[in-house]
Amino acid sequence: MIGKSYFLLSLLQVGLSQEWKGDTPREVTAHESSCVQIPCHYSYPSHLENQPRGGVWFNNEEWGSSSTAFHSQDHSHELPRFHHRTRLSGDLKDGDCSLIINNIRREDAGPYYFRIEFDNRNSYSYYPVTQLHVSDKPTIFTAEIIVGKLVDVSCTFNTTCNGTAAPVLTWDTPTDVRGSVSNTVTQHGVTLTYTSVLTLIPSLKHHGHTLSCRVRYPSVSSERTFVLSVQDAPQNLSINSLDVINASSINIIEGNSAVIICSVESFPASNLTWRHLNVPMNRTSSNNELWLVIPHVTSRDTGDYQCAAENEHGAVEGFITITVEYAPQNLSFTSLDMINASSINIIEGNSTVIICSVESFPASNLTWQHLNVPMNRTISNNKLWLVIPHITSRDTGDYQCVAENEHGAVEGFITITVERRDSSKWTVGLLTAGIMLSVFLAGILIFICVRKRKTAMEERGSGTNYIALTPRSLSVKHQGKQNVLITEP
């Protein structure tokens, strides 16, 4: 309805004259208890230049309504709430129709338009209307706040009149948020902009702190608050479980469930991922916490787990080792000749080594038993050797290996059968050994005899005297100066 009326009125005015023109802003903002100026300039047909005139400002959108905010010729037409608060800043004869409203109130907000009146036939309303906004707070602007980077937080306040005392902008900050403040005043047309800039270097501890910018007039003050949102790469990653806080490892009994929580500090929130054996297990987007839930833990879940957190400013990762405690299992037997057999045959007189091994955590205590008599024991180990250096027939029978830890026990059996050696083979072996020994001794005797004869012949050829002795008589042969006794058997 309002738009339609405005359109018809515009057509009517255009039809009357092309010289009725006005220049007013579409919007103006004023601070409560301050003053405001609505800039206005108008033109009219030149033949009316010397005619008396009156200017009227209406606080409404439609002409003819009884909502006069200002009347240049008769202030009694003004609404009571505007009495002594409105005036023109210029002279109507100069085409200046700017309106000043002092001591702004919240109910002053709304549409305003200007009407010039020469006489009943020559009057004109200038559109479009100007929308007055009444604000009780300054405005705060800031760029992206990142840890360690210098940032300016600006507080601004606009006013369109200087008829009252100038406002003062101040900052109210927490004691640990330190920074420098600079104040400026700029003018654009009739608008004065008061600006206070707080410069600081934010840290992560500033995140969530509140800053306040306060605008003060002699009789009134107001403020706007601002919550610091400090952006940073993920940091202070921690890994916790229901029982352990920020540990690097955790022991879990097989069959139980495990809940491990990875959390991090960052803004904006990080994307988190749990990995095991480099395979993603669980993920979340834009959150600073991620739970890893293993409903039924088995020995295969043992190992290192990685939690990685990442946002647009960086990444961080952490690790935790899960160790699964479980009772002994997969008991097996191994020897030099067989692997995991239930029985073994050994020839009498030979030696044997049998290894009992098991899987468990913590490590098991193992015991070898034969005829229910312990033979060998070890504490906190998952492997135990049974060594029999010389097998006899008494070693035949079942051997038991028992593995035990705090979570349970397991046992296994292996049967040793001792085989007697073959007697015929034994006899042939002895005879062969005897013959070989005889041949060896005969060879040694022959070697000695040959050696002696060779030595005797060498001595005879060199002119040596020999003395030959027999059991019956002794004969001495003299030749040269040497004597040699020879005993004959």
Side-chain angles (χ1 to χ4, degrees):
M1 179 66 183
I2 293 174
K4 184 176 180 180
S5 299
Y6 170 70
F7 177 71
L8 293 175
L9 183 59
S10 299
L11 289 178
L12 177 61
Q13 292 173 342
V14 170
L16 292 175
S17 174
Q18 293 293 332
E19 299 183 30
W20 300 97
K21 294 181 180 179
D23 182 14
T24 56
R26 292 294 184 92
E27 292 183 329
V28 172
T29 300
H31 190 277
E32 188 177 10
S33 298
S34 68
C35 65
V36 66
Q37 177 176 320
I38 301 177
C40 175
H41 291 86
Y42 74 102
S43 62
Y44 50 90
S46 59
H47 71 274
L48 299 174
E49 183 175 358
N50 297 320
Q51 297 296 321
R53 70 200 69 182
V56 183
W57 275 95
F58 294 95
N59 179 210
N60 209 315
E61 291 197 16
E62 294 186 8
W63 175 68
S65 61
S66 57
S67 56
T68 304
F70 172 79
H71 200 295
S72 65
Q73 293 178 330
D74 189 353
H75 295 295
S76 64
H77 292 307
E78 297 171 356
L79 292 174
R81 63 186 178 92
F82 287 108
H83 281 176
H84 310 296
R85 294 175 52 224
T86 57
R87 63 184 175 89
L88 295 179
S89 65
D91 193 334
L92 289 176
K93 291 182 179 181
D94 297 329
D96 189 349
C97 53
S98 299
L99 176 69
I100 290 179
I101 307 175
N102 291 314
N103 193 21
I104 291 293
R105 305 170 184 175
R106 288 182 179 272
E107 58 265 29
D108 294 337
Y112 289 80
Y113 72 91
F114 175 70
R115 177 176 175 82
I116 190 69
E117 295 180 345
F118 290 93
D119 52 42
N120 290 334
R121 294 177 56 191
N122 293 289
S123 299
Y124 189 84
S125 297
Y126 294 90
Y127 288 92
V129 299
T130 296
Q131 190 73 33
L132 174 62
H133 303 282
V134 178
S135 172
D136 62 345
K137 297 178 181 180
T139 304
I140 294 179
F141 302 94
T142 184
E144 190 175 56
I145 302 176
I146 302 174
V147 167
K149 293 186 177 181
L150 199 69
V151 64
D152 290 337
V153 184
S154 299
C155 176
T156 63
F157 174 76
N158 295 327
T159 181
T160 56
C161 73
N162 54 8
T164 60
V168 177
L169 294 178
T170 59
W171 285 98
D172 184 11
T173 63
T175 55
D176 61 344
V177 179
R178 302 184 181 275
S180 60
V181 177
S182 61
N183 296 316
T184 59
V185 180
T186 59
Q187 184 170 4
H188 181 72
V190 297
T191 301
L192 292 172
T193 300
Y194 294 82
T195 303
S196 181
V197 178
L198 172 64
T199 301
L200 54 87
I201 299 177
S203 66
L204 194 60
K205 68 180 181 180
H206 296 153
H207 182 73
H209 282 202
T210 300
L211 308 178
S212 296
C213 176
R214 182 175 290 110
V215 57
R216 298 178 185 271
Y217 277 95
S219 61
V220 68
S221 68
S222 63
E223 66 180 29
R224 182 177 294 276
T225 59
F226 174 73
V227 179
L228 286 172
S229 296
V230 182
Q231 301 189 27
D232 192 17
Q235 61 180 353
N236 297 331
L237 185 144
S238 63
I239 298 177
N240 307 311
S241 71
L242 299 181
D243 303 318
V244 181
I245 297 177
N246 208 20
S248 59
S249 63
I250 182 174
N251 290 359
I252 305 173
I253 299 175
E254 187 175 33
N256 289 355
S257 61
V259 177
I260 304 175
I261 305 167
C262 177
S263 59
V264 72
E265 296 177 5
S266 74
F267 185 83
S270 296
N271 302 327
L272 282 83
T273 303
W274 273 109
R275 291 187 179 93
H276 178 48
L277 301 176
N278 291 325
V279 177
M281 301 179 65
N282 197 5
R283 284 177 173 167
T284 184
S285 298
S286 299
N287 199 344
N288 278 344
E289 186 175 274
L290 180 60
W291 289 37
L292 172 64
V293 179
I294 307 176
H296 187 81
V297 174
T298 68
S299 58
R300 295 188 299 273
D301 297 317
T302 293
D304 293 331
Y305 290 76
Q306 177 197 43
C307 177
E310 182 178 10
N311 70 6
E312 60 193 78
H313 301 294
V316 67
E317 61 184 23
F319 295 86
I320 187 171
T321 301
I322 294 180
T323 302
V324 180
E325 297 188 8
Y326 56 98
Q329 60 185 14
N330 298 330
L331 187 144
S332 62
F333 297 105
T334 305
S335 73
L336 300 178
D337 302 319
M338 61 87 188
I339 297 177
N340 205 22
S342 59
S343 62
I344 183 173
N345 295 345
I346 306 172
I347 298 175
E348 188 175 23
N350 288 356
S351 63
T352 187
V353 176
I354 304 176
I355 304 168
C356 176
S357 59
V358 72
E359 297 174 7
S360 72
F361 189 86
S364 297
N365 302 329
L366 282 84
T367 303
W368 274 109
Q369 296 184 71
H370 179 48
L371 301 177
N372 292 325
V373 177
M375 300 179 63
N376 195 7
R377 285 178 175 169
T378 185
I379 298 177
S380 298
N381 200 344
N382 279 345
K383 186 177 292 186
L384 181 60
W385 292 37
L386 173 63
V387 180
I388 306 176
H390 187 81
I391 290 288
T392 67
S393 58
R394 293 189 299 274
D395 296 318
T396 294
D398 293 332
Y399 290 75
Q400 179 189 38
C401 178
V402 179
E404 183 178 12
N405 70 5
E406 60 192 78
H407 301 297
V410 68
E411 60 184 23
F413 295 88
I414 187 170
T415 301
I416 294 180
T417 302
V418 179
E419 297 182 355
R420 292 181 174 274
R421 295 184 180 275
D422 193 328
S423 58
S424 59
K425 293 181 180 179
W426 176 256
T427 303
V428 171
L430 290 177
L431 180 60
T432 302
I435 293 173
M436 293 179 65
L437 181 60
S438 299
V439 172
F440 177 72
L441 293 175
I444 291 176
L445 291 175
I446 293 173
F447 175 76
I448 294 173
C449 292
V450 171
R451 182 75 176 175
K452 286 183 177 181
R453 185 171 295 277
K454 181 177 180 182
T455 302
M457 291 178 66
E458 290 176 350
E459 292 177 347
R460 187 177 298 117
S462 63
T464 305
N465 293 326
Y466 297 89
I467 299 176
L469 299 179
T470 64
R472 296 180 181 178
S473 63
L474 297 172
S475 61
V476 178
K477 296 182 180 180
H478 177 74
Q479 184 176 358
K481 297 180 179 181
Q482 297 180 349
N483 295 322
V484 179
L485 294 179
I486 301 174
T487 302
E488 296 179 358

